[in-house]
């Protein structure tokens, strides 16, 4: 089954063609990062206008798969929610129009579920359930238990900022570029993760909270303005912040592994690109199968993951 997938929920205009939920035949992403770096974050109206400019060329490029024409395409998938309304609408209206013109079914996919299915892309073997899937991105932080493709339970989520959002906001405080995650990861490489004691917010159950940590960094920087002048101190703060985020994410994950005894643990979303986090989780899991997306380009927003999720969605209904 061939699916043309479209994703425009935030600041990436993306289109992909995916075969049987796994094989990525094309995966085109037009990033708006340079545009939003000017403002240090995504301005929703600017994002929607950028999507309008590039969505048709992006889709045209994604459709350049040798031997594949509209006749072979089985469905069109598009991100339904969550996301920025203006951005989502551009993708949704484009997908809806293409589905109408070419007489194809339209499949609406939840963005977070898209991230969950990013770990199945370009992977031959099937997953073994039950699976604990942690999605950590700029907008979302969800721990999901998958008993099967159709039986899913959200165990926990963030009550305020998502982990990626915390990376972005703290990077801004530290005068590091947008997006903050990769910038903090790079800066942290030279730092001591135990140099700055930062508070961990304890939440009930499997929920997460990161806004207190962001505030703690803000106060620390007010008390230690020299951090911005001293590369070593900046690196120490970045490493300490990154470690604190990892501690919180890993702590809940460990508890859920104990409680639900999954066969596999998956880490997805933009923050899953973080090597320190990957290494920590791998160390904690022992023999449990740990999957992250096969390519870094599948971690951050992309349309291939939407095509992956759409395939299983179509099998279930
Ligand atoms: O999944 P994504 O592209 O978009 C959302 O659905 O939100 O995630 C983007 C987020 C940003 O907050 C970015 O700072 C973070 O992922 N990110 C990282 C890394 N690469 C991207 N965070 C930590 N370490 C990274 N290497
Ligand atoms: Zn995302």
């Amino acid at each position: 089954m061939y699916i043309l997938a479209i994703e425009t929920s935030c600041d990436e205009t993306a289109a992909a063609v995916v075969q049987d939920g796994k094989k990525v035949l094309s995966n085109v992403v037009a990033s708006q990062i340079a545009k939003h770096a000017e403002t240090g974050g995504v301005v929703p109206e600017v994002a929607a206008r950028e999507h309008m400019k590039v969505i048709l060329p992006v889709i045209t490029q994604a459709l350049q798969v040798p031997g594949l024409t509209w006749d072979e395409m089985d469905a069109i998938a598009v991100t339904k929610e969550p996301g920025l309304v203006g951005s989502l609408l551009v993708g949704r209206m484009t997908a809806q129009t293409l589905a109408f013109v070419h007489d194809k079914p339209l499949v609406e996919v939840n963005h977070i579920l898209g991230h969950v299915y990013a770990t199945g892309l370009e992977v031959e073997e099937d997953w073994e359930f039950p699976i604990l899937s942690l999605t950590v991105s700029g907008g979302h932080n969800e721990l999901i238990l998958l008993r099967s493709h159709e039986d899913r339970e959200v165990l926990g989520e963030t009550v305020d900022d998502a982990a990626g959002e915390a990376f972005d906001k703290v990077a801004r405080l530290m005068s590091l570029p947008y997006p903050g995650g990769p910038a903090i990861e790079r800066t942290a490489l030279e730092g001591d993760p135990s140099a700055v004691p930062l508070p961990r917010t304890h939440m009930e159950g499997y929920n997460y909270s990161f806004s207190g940590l962001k505030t703690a960094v803000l106060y620390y920087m007010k008390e230690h303005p020299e951090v911005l002048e001293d590369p070593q101190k900046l690196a120490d703060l970045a490493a300490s912040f990154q470690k604190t985020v990892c501690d919180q994410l890993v702590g809940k994950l460990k508890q859920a592994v104990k409680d639900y005894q999954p066969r596999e643990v998956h880490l997805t979303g933009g923050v899953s690109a973080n090597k320190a986090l990957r290494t920590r989780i791998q160390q904690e899991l022992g023999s449990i199968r740990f999957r992250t997306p096969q390519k870094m380009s599948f971690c951050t927003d992309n349309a291939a993951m939407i095509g992956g999720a759409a395939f299983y969605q179509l099998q279930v209904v």
Side-chain angles (χ1 to χ4, degrees):
M1 173 181 272
Y2 295 102
I3 296 180
L4 167 68
I6 297 170
E7 149 68 41
T8 61
S9 68
C10 188
D11 59 345
E12 323 278 0
T13 317
V17 176
V18 181
Q19 185 180 6
D20 298 335
K22 291 185 170 180
K23 201 160 190 285
V24 181
L25 301 180
S26 67
N27 190 27
V28 182
V29 180
S31 171
Q32 302 177 4
I33 281 180
K35 192 91 198 159
H36 300 302
E38 294 165 16
T39 43
V42 180
V43 178
E45 178 165 345
V46 174
R49 287 181 190 279
E50 290 297 308
H51 285 308
M52 283 204 301
K53 273 190 221 160
V54 300
I55 189 149
L56 292 178
V58 163
I59 292 173
T60 306
Q61 199 183 329
L63 286 169
Q64 306 299 310
V65 178
L68 205 66
T69 67
W70 273 109
D71 282 348
E72 283 83 37
M73 208 62 76
D74 294 288
I76 298 176
V78 66
T79 305
K80 183 184 183 198
E81 59 188 2
L84 303 171
V85 174
S87 294
L88 286 166
L89 274 176
V90 176
R92 168 65 211 240
M93 290 311 297
T94 310
Q96 193 172 325
T97 307
L98 286 173
F100 175 74
V101 170
H102 294 283
D103 195 21
K104 306 286 176 188
L106 182 70
V107 190
E108 293 180 305
V109 177
N110 177 285
H111 179 79
I112 300 168
L113 202 58
H115 277 299
V116 168
Y117 278 88
T119 52
L121 298 172
E122 300 291 355
V123 175
E124 284 292 314
E125 78 268 30
D126 289 328
W127 293 347
E128 284 193 62
F129 296 98
I131 294 167
L132 266 177
S133 177
L134 176 63
T135 296
V136 259
S137 72
H140 322 287
N141 220 113
E142 280 201 4
L143 183 61
I144 302 173
L145 175 68
L146 290 96
R147 295 187 185 89
S148 66
H149 285 296
E150 56 268 42
D151 183 355
R152 297 181 296 268
E153 185 183 340
V154 177
L155 301 179
E157 58 199 345
T158 181
V159 297
D160 41 52
D161 293 350
E165 197 176 352
F167 269 100
D168 293 336
K169 287 178 176 170
V170 164
R172 209 168 160 181
L173 293 174
M174 294 171 68
S175 298
L176 294 172
Y178 175 86
I184 288 190
E185 182 172 24
R186 271 194 310 274
T187 311
L189 286 175
E190 306 298 325
D192 171 5
S194 57
V196 182
L198 292 167
R200 282 141 185 78
T201 310
H202 295 288
M203 297 296 299
E204 281 298 304
Y206 301 106
N207 285 338
Y208 302 90
S209 165
F210 291 102
S211 88
L213 176 58
K214 176 198 66 193
T215 311
V217 172
L218 174 70
Y219 283 124
Y220 181 83
M221 292 194 65
K222 276 194 176 152
E223 279 167 32
H224 301 85
E226 74 280 5
V227 165
L228 285 177
E229 314 299 326
D230 183 334
Q232 187 55 54
K233 288 192 171 138
L234 198 70
D236 287 346
L237 181 59
S240 302
F241 165 77
Q242 180 172 270
K243 179 171 186 300
T244 310
V245 173
C246 290
D247 284 349
Q248 284 182 220
L249 292 171
V250 173
K252 297 281 176 182
L253 192 60
K254 264 172 74 179
Q255 185 58 47
V257 166
K258 219 162 128 194
D259 295 346
Y260 292 96
Q261 306 282 319
R263 303 283 291 272
E264 300 187 1
V265 168
H266 297 189
L267 176 70
T268 69
V271 183
S272 73
N274 189 282
K275 291 193 194 62
L277 178 61
R278 287 179 174 209
T279 309
R280 274 287 301 283
I281 295 178
Q282 182 71 71
Q283 282 165 353
E284 298 289 349
L285 289 180
S287 61
I288 299 173
R289 176 90 197 235
F290 177 45
R291 290 183 200 265
T292 51
Q294 287 291 306
K295 294 182 179 171
M296 285 298 179
S297 55
F298 299 157
C299 294
T300 44
D301 286 351
N302 65 89
M305 67 186 197
I306 301 299
F311 173 77
Y312 293 99
Q313 214 163 300
L314 282 169
Q315 312 302 304
V316 171
V317 288

